[in-house]
Amino acid sequence: EIKEAFDLFDVDGTQRVNPRDLRSSIQALGLRRNQVVVRMLSDLERQGSKPLDFAGFVDLMTARMGERDTREDVSKVFRLFDDDRSGTITVRNLQRVARELGEHLPVEELEEMIARADSDADGGAGVV
C-alpha cells in the first residue's frame, strides 16, 4: 500500500517524491485536520526540499503509524481519490485530483502511474 501511494505521488517517475508537492497534495486533499497528517507535515518541514526516495517516504509514512489507526487513514485518503467508489484508483480519478491540484499531467503519465501501482493488472490501483 505504501509503495502504491509512493508511485502515485512520484508524478515524474524519478523514484523520488518532492516534499513540496507531497505537502501541497496533502493540503489540497483537506487532510490537515488529521493530527497524524499534521505531524507528518511537520516532519516534511524538517526534511526541507530534498526529494524523498522510497525509503524516506516509508520512514515518513510509518513514523507515526503507532499513534493512530493508520489503515483507517490510508482508507480515507484512498476514498478521496476513489470518488466513484469503484474500489480502485483509475486514470480518471487521477485526472480529477490533478485538475483539483492545478496540475496538468498528460494522460500517458497518469496511465504509467496507474500501471506501476496496479498490482493485480486490473487497470487501477487498489487498497489491500
Side-chain angles (χ1 to χ4, degrees):
E1 292 173 355
I2 292 175
K3 176 64 171 143
E4 289 176 357
F6 177 82
D7 288 342
L8 288 172
F9 288 113
D10 178 20
V11 295
D12 56 4
T14 61
Q15 297 303 305
R16 301 257 188 276
V17 173
N18 184 314
R20 186 189 76 242
D21 294 341
L22 181 58
R23 191 171 23 260
S24 296
S25 297
I26 289 170
Q27 292 169 346
L29 291 170
L31 301 176
R32 286 193 69 111
R33 293 173 295 231
N34 179 301
Q35 289 302 311
V36 173
V37 173
V38 167
R39 289 187 187 110
M40 286 172 49
L41 288 172
S42 175
D43 292 346
L44 273 175
E45 291 297 326
R46 284 191 294 280
Q47 169 76 19
S49 61
K50 180 181 171 195
L52 294 167
D53 60 7
F54 181 63
F57 185 79
V58 169
D59 288 346
L60 177 69
M61 293 296 152
T62 59
R64 305 290 179 186
M65 285 191 164
E67 296 179 22
R68 298 227 352 191
D69 183 7
T70 57
R71 184 160 184 79
E72 180 181 324
D73 292 334
V74 169
S75 293
K76 286 179 185 177
V77 172
F78 185 87
R79 287 191 302 267
L80 288 171
F81 280 86
D82 182 26
D83 64 327
D84 58 1
R85 304 294 185 244
S86 67
T88 59
I89 297 172
T90 64
V91 170
R92 189 193 65 73
N93 298 130
L94 287 182
Q95 285 175 314
R96 177 189 54 81
V97 171
R99 188 174 50 252
E100 289 174 3
L101 295 173
E103 296 290 331
H104 302 286
L105 300 170
V107 71
E108 295 81 17
E109 283 186 37
L110 299 174
E111 289 170 345
E112 182 180 336
M113 290 166 58
I114 292 296
R116 287 187 293 153
D118 185 4
S119 59
D120 60 2
D122 68 350
V127 69
V128 179

